[in-house]
């Protein structure tokens, strides 16, 4: 299949092409999926290096399962979000007690205009507050409000009911709001959001 | 849904900032992942050749011994005979020990066999 056609092909079709030996399909899938996997992993773990390892491992599992992929059974992204979350959970359990404070600082520390700094401070404050949430609440809030997935897909990823997703998101957001409102006063955020 | 409308959500500014700060994968990570994809694909391409030309099956020493002795049925007979011999050795019937001693001592009487009278007749007649 020509590259321009592959760029618009669904993930599932590209995975089948890859399993059949197509040389380009993996590149299109990598470019399309890795940013999402990495973002999810980094938000769940709060650690760039570990998130990169998880992203590579999740994609490796995708490459290996490709020949057994059954069209129409599940979306590739749904499967990948689930695998990524499970890998993060494994690492989080191992790391608990070691301390996530050892995570390296974000790479982009360039000074910018005041507005940019406030955005950066908000993003960092959000990540800190997410890190303090229980695992399942954090996962549900990230998928709902940052990855912007629908509750039915989140339910499929987390293998729970839609009602349970709604409950996790609501509880997670209440905890985030309480955590961030205290920091909002400390850091002097303007209330323009 | 239980969430409040987005435009009044006090967390919206934080979520927007979080979305804007999405981490982007570096070239090194992308290269590692694509190298994995190529390796898995290449390994899979090799796999069917191994199926069409299977390596010769290596037989274990026990299986080769069984084949040499006539297969597993022969081995069962051999095993039965071995167990019987072991049993005779461990719990010899009364008289067997004495007979063995006679044989070893060269006592001809030990070879006398009390044949059935009919069998004697048949032997004399050359019927066997």
């Amino acid at each position: 299949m020509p590259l321009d056609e592959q760029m618009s092909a669904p993930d599932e079709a590209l995975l089948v092409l890859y399993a059949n030996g197509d040389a380009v399909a993996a590149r299109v899938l990598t470019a399309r999926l890795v940013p999402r996997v990495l973002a999810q992993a980094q938000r769940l773990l709060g650690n760039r290096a570990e998130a990169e390892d998880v992203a590579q491992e999740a994609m490796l599992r995708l490459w290996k399962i490709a020949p057994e992929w059954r069209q129409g059974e599940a979306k590739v992204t749904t499967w990948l979000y689930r695998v990524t979350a499970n890998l993060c959970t494994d690492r989080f359990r191992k790391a608990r007690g070691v301390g996530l404070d050892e995570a390296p600082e974000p790479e982009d520390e360039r000074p910018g205009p005041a507005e940019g700094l406030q955005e950066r401070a908000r993003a960092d404050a959000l990540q800190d507050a997410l890190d303090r949430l229980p695992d399942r609440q954090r996962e549900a809030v990230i998928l709902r409000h940052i990855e912007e997935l629908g509750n039915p897909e989140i339910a499929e990823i987390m293998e729970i009911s839609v009602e349970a997703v709604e409950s996790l998101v609501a509880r997670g957001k209440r905890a985030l709001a309480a955590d961030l409102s205290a920091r909002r006063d400390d850091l002097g955020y303007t209330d323009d959001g | 849904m239980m969430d409040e409308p987005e435009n009044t959500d006090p967390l919206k500014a934080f979520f927007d900032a979080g979305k804007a700060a999405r981490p982007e994968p570096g070239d090194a990570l992308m290269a590692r992942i694509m190298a994995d994809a190529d390796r898995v694909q290449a390994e899979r391409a090799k796999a069917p050749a191994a199926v069409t030309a299977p390596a010769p099956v290596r037989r274990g020493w026990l299986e080769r011994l069984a084949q040499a002795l006539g297969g597993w049925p022969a081995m069962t007979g051999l095993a039965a005979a071995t167990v019987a011999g072991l049993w005779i050795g461990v719990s010899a019937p009364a008289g067997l020990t004495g007979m063995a001693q006679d044989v070893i001592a060269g006592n001809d009487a030990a070879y006398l066999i009390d044949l059935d009278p009919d069998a004697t007749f048949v032997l004399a007649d050359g019927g066997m």
Side-chain angles (χ1 to χ4, degrees), chain A residues 18 22 43 48 56 63 173, chain B residues 9 18 24 37 41 44:
Chain A
Y18 166 75
D22 187 286
R43 284 177 180 127
R48 174 71 184 221
Q56 187 175 2
W63 306 138
K173 284 183 70 180
Chain B
D9 188 344
E24 291 299 326
Q41 200 174 42
R44 194 175 302 126

Side-chain angles (χ1 to χ4, degrees), chain B:
Chain B
M1 202 172 125
M2 288 155 69
D3 298 341
E4 55 269 72
E6 291 290 315
N7 58 352
T8 60
D9 188 344
L11 294 172
K12 185 175 183 304
F14 289 95
F15 289 138
D16 287 345
K19 278 180 267 187
R22 186 191 190 102
E24 291 299 326
D27 292 343
L29 175 64
M30 298 297 263
R32 288 208 308 269
I33 289 172
M34 283 192 275
D36 282 346
D38 291 345
R39 181 173 49 78
V40 171
Q41 200 174 42
E43 283 170 3
R44 194 175 302 126
K46 280 185 208 159
V51 172
T52 52
V57 178
R58 288 178 63 100
R59 294 176 190 277
W61 67 269
L62 187 61
E63 198 174 348
R64 277 182 278 143
L65 177 66
Q67 286 300 117
L69 292 173
W72 287 111
M75 285 292 278
T76 55
L78 185 63
T82 306
V83 171
L86 184 67
W87 179 77
I88 290 168
V90 169
S91 59
L96 185 64
T97 310
M99 192 176 83
Q101 283 167 348
D102 287 343
V103 170
I104 293 166
N107 187 349
D108 291 344
Y111 294 104
L112 288 176
I113 301 168
D114 185 16
L115 289 171
D116 184 88
D118 290 342
T120 310
F121 175 77
V122 170
L123 280 172
D125 201 32
M128 278 198 63

